[in-house]
Amino acid sequence: MGPMISEDPGIYFYNLHPIYKVDVLGTVVYKRERDDFFCYGVDDGTGVINCLCWKNDLMKEEADPDKSGGKLSDGAQGGFNPVAELKKLKQAQQSRCRLEIGELLRVRGPVKTSRQQREIMASTYYKVNDPVMAVQIAWMMEVPQLYRQCYDKPLQLQPNATSDSAVSSLCKATNIIKDFFKQRSVTRFRPYDVQDLLQPLISSQPQTASADQEPVAGPSACQQLRQLLKEALQILQDDGMVYRKVKSQDEVYYVTAQDKDLLIAVKDIIREDSKREKYAERGCHILHILSAVRQHYSLNVSKAALELVLKSLECNSDIVSTSDNHYTVF
């Protein structure tokens, strides 16, 4: 959870970032059950926090059999039984909400302070099945990166006009490059292929010095253009829209959605590995696919890029997602 300071009821601050809802993945270390809710003590590795998880109507009906409406008919013998299938769905939902000590819980909701202790009032919660710790490993890799990119950076409450202009130019730059991909059906490119497209953004920036002031020394227009292009390409890489298959002095970027070789490689990995007994039932987890792609195709494929490829393959009905980020072929 990290060190959070409370200034207002229901609002906490971490490095000036206002926080009122959290998303926690951790192990249940104790539990209490009441008529209307479960209270789980969840250890996410930084400490233990109480999570109040309210029961839904199905779980209340289970506790009070008289409200269930009595025994329902079994339906057509030997055929599809909607009553039995509905009962299975209810049981599955109940099992995801009823946890025991040692099981993994994902919980989201606002943080409240009760009796001088912080606790989460769960808006969503469910049990996570993670036999090989793939979900926990992915979580441990994602959270530190989130802190580095966002929460560990002090929040700038009053940005000046110059920073606003820079952010606006950066958004325009990324949109210009995206439009270039769509119009030209680009599969790969080099920075100098798109650099001139951003030139109007540099020449149209307002001058910060007034007429009676001496101009302040700063980066040249060429330096500004190169910096803007570098930041725009970094955003596109972070979003997975582009990637570099091989990192060398010759900067070649591949457009993820247009790279047919990458799509074929991912599809082949899922098809072949889904035949293995280990993945036959649920399919291949996204982290396994990512590891295989990096081993057999390119070390520089990011998780964000892989997610775009998987989405494209699923839209084309080449693969199908099962549960918890698992994929298999039809």
Side-chain angles (χ1 to χ4, degrees):
M1 291 294 294
M4 295 191 300
I5 301 174
S6 178
E7 296 290 346
D8 298 303
I11 303 295
Y12 296 81
F13 290 90
Y14 180 89
N15 274 355
L16 297 181
H17 292 272
I19 297 172
Y20 66 98
K21 286 185 178 181
V22 295
D23 187 348
V24 173
L25 177 72
T27 304
V28 176
V29 295
Y30 68 82
K31 60 172 289 188
R32 297 197 310 270
E33 182 176 357
R34 297 293 185 264
D35 292 339
D36 294 328
F37 64 89
F38 296 103
C39 181
Y40 296 117
V42 178
D43 185 354
D44 70 342
T46 65
V48 179
I49 187 169
N50 287 339
C51 301
L52 297 183
C53 303
W54 299 97
K55 294 181 179 179
N56 57 27
D57 293 337
L58 291 176
M59 302 192 74
K60 293 179 182 178
E61 289 178 5
E62 179 191 29
D64 190 356
D66 295 335
K67 296 181 180 180
S68 62
K71 185 177 180 180
L72 300 174
S73 61
D74 293 335
Q77 187 174 6
F80 177 75
N81 190 336
V83 176
E85 295 301 322
L86 180 59
K87 184 178 180 180
K88 290 180 182 179
L89 289 174
K90 291 181 178 180
Q91 290 174 346
Q93 182 179 2
Q94 292 166 4
S95 67
R96 294 293 295 271
C97 297
R98 189 184 297 276
L99 287 91
E100 301 298 334
I101 293 177
E103 293 183 322
L104 196 63
L105 174 67
R106 180 78 175 267
V107 57
R108 301 169 185 166
V111 180
K112 305 292 184 182
T113 300
S114 176
R115 297 182 296 276
Q116 297 182 342
Q117 288 187 341
R118 289 181 298 181
E119 56 187 19
I120 300 174
M121 308 294 290
S123 56
T124 302
Y125 72 99
Y126 56 90
K127 178 170 63 176
V128 177
N129 296 319
D130 191 25
V132 295
M133 298 186 68
V135 177
Q136 296 175 76
I137 292 173
W139 181 268
M140 288 186 289
M141 294 175 63
E142 179 182 355
V143 170
Q145 184 177 4
L146 180 62
Y147 270 84
R148 285 194 297 268
Q149 294 179 350
C150 179
Y151 293 110
D152 285 340
K153 294 181 179 180
L155 183 65
Q156 188 175 0
L157 298 177
Q158 296 180 344
N160 54 38
T162 302
S163 62
D164 284 344
S165 176
V167 171
S168 177
S169 297
L170 185 57
C171 292
K172 291 178 181 178
T174 55
N175 289 332
I176 288 173
I177 298 176
K178 290 177 184 178
D179 291 339
F180 173 73
F181 295 161
K182 294 178 181 179
Q183 294 172 4
R184 304 289 185 88
S185 298
V186 177
T187 57
R188 62 178 183 174
F189 67 97
R190 291 173 174 81
Y192 58 74
D193 294 327
V194 297
Q195 180 170 301
D196 291 343
L197 299 175
L198 308 185
Q199 183 63 51
L201 298 178
I202 300 300
S203 59
S204 63
Q205 285 185 355
Q207 298 295 326
T208 57
S210 60
D212 58 346
Q213 289 179 327
E214 295 183 1
V216 179
S220 65
C222 184
Q223 291 173 328
Q224 294 178 44
L225 181 60
R226 285 198 297 266
Q227 181 63 27
L228 180 61
L229 176 60
K230 179 181 178 181
E231 293 177 0
L233 291 176
Q234 186 60 53
I235 289 178
L236 293 173
Q237 287 188 88
D238 293 341
D239 291 342
M241 296 192 66
V242 304
Y243 76 100
R244 295 178 63 185
K245 186 180 296 186
V246 178
K247 290 188 176 181
S248 62
Q249 292 183 350
D250 184 18
E251 289 188 66
V252 180
Y253 290 83
Y254 287 77
V255 181
T256 305
Q258 301 294 335
D259 189 356
K260 294 182 180 180
D261 291 338
L262 176 58
L263 269 69
I264 292 173
V266 173
K267 181 180 177 181
D268 288 345
I269 288 170
I270 297 174
R271 184 181 62 250
E272 294 301 321
D273 287 359
S274 295
K275 298 177 183 177
R276 297 165 58 183
E277 183 179 356
K278 182 178 180 181
Y279 306 108
E281 182 178 354
R282 300 182 64 192
C284 304
H285 192 272
I286 186 173
L287 294 181
H288 167 76
I289 302 171
L290 180 61
S291 176
V293 169
R294 288 175 174 174
Q295 181 178 0
H296 300 292
Y297 187 76
S298 170
L299 289 171
N300 302 317
V301 176
S302 66
K303 184 181 178 184
L306 177 60
E307 288 172 344
L308 290 180
V309 172
L310 293 171
K311 183 178 179 180
S312 177
L313 290 173
E314 190 170 13
C315 289
N316 292 332
S317 299
D318 292 320
I319 63 172
V320 60
S321 60
T322 56
S323 61
D324 296 333
N325 289 321
H326 288 75
Y327 297 85
T328 187
V329 293
F330 284 104

